[in-house]
């Protein structure tokens, strides 16, 4: 996707500390605002969903509860194995070891391509967008959900930790590629401060993690996300041809 040899963007948090990342996923968006927002643009009931960069498959069962078919795509083999274990009892889910820019999925067969906290979908990810558009059926949607680094407090910690990260450039990239942007406010709530400290420790360097712990009173704080949506046009060419023929 970007210009490294393999096209896989390292995710130290989930690659090196999968159990802490699992606790982080459980703490995220406790009110379900993100799934509500995704469903409002592309309801997956009885549809086919691809979750790109699915990690250990945390979100696969949510889609599987209503979808006809769910495919998880994950290039980091230990995580693909974990995801397969998680969905072993779900007959409508399969997990494939692959990358966003080369999906083992037939043309025009998918209704929703979802990518959550997917750093690999950012500036330079043109091949991944083209690939998602290839597998989408007409009217289907590519939905990229990521953290909004412009919003306090979480975004302040992100920018302090990654001073070269430019959220405006990222948003401009998606806008130039024809995506609509929605900002979604969520709440993260942890069972206790020990889990919170562990999560801060995998997301940020020691100084920012310490500052973030001091800034949080209790076990809960606000986190804003951005949701970028691009649809595959539905049937326009067909109707034009039909008119001409008629
Ligand atoms: C931060 S994790 C998020 C995992 C999952 N979406 C979640 O929310 O729990 C990002 C994931 O993207 C995967 N990844 C990295 N580069 C990728 C690429 N080029 N194509 C598909 N997935 C990729 C990583 O291996 C990792 O599992």
């Amino acid at each position: 996707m970007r210009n490294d040899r393999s096209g896989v963007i390292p995710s130290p948090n989930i690659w090196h500390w999968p159990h802490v990342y699992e606790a982080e996923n459980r703490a995220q968006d406790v009110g379900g605002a993100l799934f509500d927002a995704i469903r409002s643009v592309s309801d997956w009931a009885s549809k086919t969903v691809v979750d790109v960069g699915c990690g250990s498959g945390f979100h696969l069962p949510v889609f599987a509860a209503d979808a006809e078919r769910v495919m998880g795509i994950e290039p980091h083999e230990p995580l693909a194995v974990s995801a397969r274990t998680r969905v072993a009892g779900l007959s409508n889910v399969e997990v494939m070891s692959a990358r966003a820019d080369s999906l083992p999925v037939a043309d025009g067969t998918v209704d929703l391509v979802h990518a959550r906290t997917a750093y690999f979908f950012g500036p330079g990810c043109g091949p991944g967008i083209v690939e998602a558009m290839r597998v989408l059926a007409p009217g289907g949607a590519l939905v990229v959900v990521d953290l909004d680094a412009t919003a306090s407090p979480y975004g302040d910690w992100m920018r302090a930790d990654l001073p070269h990260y430019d959220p405006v450039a990222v948003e401009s990239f998606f806008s130039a590629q024809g995506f609509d942007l929605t900002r979604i406010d969520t709440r993260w709530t942890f069972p206790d401060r020990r889990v919170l400290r562990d999560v801060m420790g995998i997301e940020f360097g020691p100084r920012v993690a310490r500052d973030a712990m001091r800034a949080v009173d209790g076990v809960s704080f606000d986190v804003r996300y951005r949701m970028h949506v691009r649809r595959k046009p539905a049937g326009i060419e067909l109707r034009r041809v039909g008119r001409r023929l008629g």
Side-chain angles (χ1 to χ4, degrees), residues 18-173:
H19 297 293
V20 180
Y21 198 84
E22 181 80 7
E24 177 172 349
N25 253 333
R26 280 198 293 267
Q28 291 187 8
D29 186 22
V30 286
L34 290 172
F35 276 118
D36 287 349
I38 298 165
R39 204 187 280 277
S40 75
V41 296
S42 178
D43 189 347
W44 57 86
S46 305
K47 301 283 173 110
T48 298
V49 178
V50 168
D51 187 10
V52 186
C54 69
S56 61
F58 188 85
H59 302 109
L60 298 177
V62 179
F63 290 118
D66 298 326
E68 180 177 294
R69 184 175 181 207
V70 180
M71 288 169 271
I73 305 292
E74 174 54 48
H76 187 62
E77 196 52 28
L79 289 175
V81 169
S82 299
R84 282 185 198 111
T85 303
R86 189 193 298 271
V87 301
L90 301 175
S91 59
N92 60 341
V93 188
E94 63 190 301
V95 176
M96 291 175 274
S97 304
R99 284 170 18 196
D101 59 354
S102 139
L103 300 174
V105 179
D107 294 3
T109 54
V110 175
D111 302 291
L112 167 62
V113 175
H114 166 263
R116 176 90 59 108
T117 47
Y119 328 132
F120 50 91
F121 268 125
C125 75
I129 295 173
V130 170
E131 186 66 344
M133 290 296 141
R134 177 185 70 75
V135 303
L136 281 172
L142 167 58
V143 177
V144 178
V145 177
D146 215 337
L147 295 155
D148 184 345
T150 67
S152 296
Y154 199 87
D156 301 335
W157 305 329
M158 282 179 73
R159 292 194 320 280
D161 200 57
L162 297 169
H164 299 299
Y165 179 76
D166 182 352
V168 175
V170 173
E171 291 183 14
S172 302
F173 167 80

Side-chain angles (χ1 to χ4, degrees), residues 193 197 200-201 204-216:
R193 283 186 66 86
R197 191 182 56 241
M200 295 298 192
F204 305 120
R207 185 183 59 78
V208 174
R210 199 180 52 241
D211 291 350
M213 280 304 288
R214 286 200 189 113
V216 176

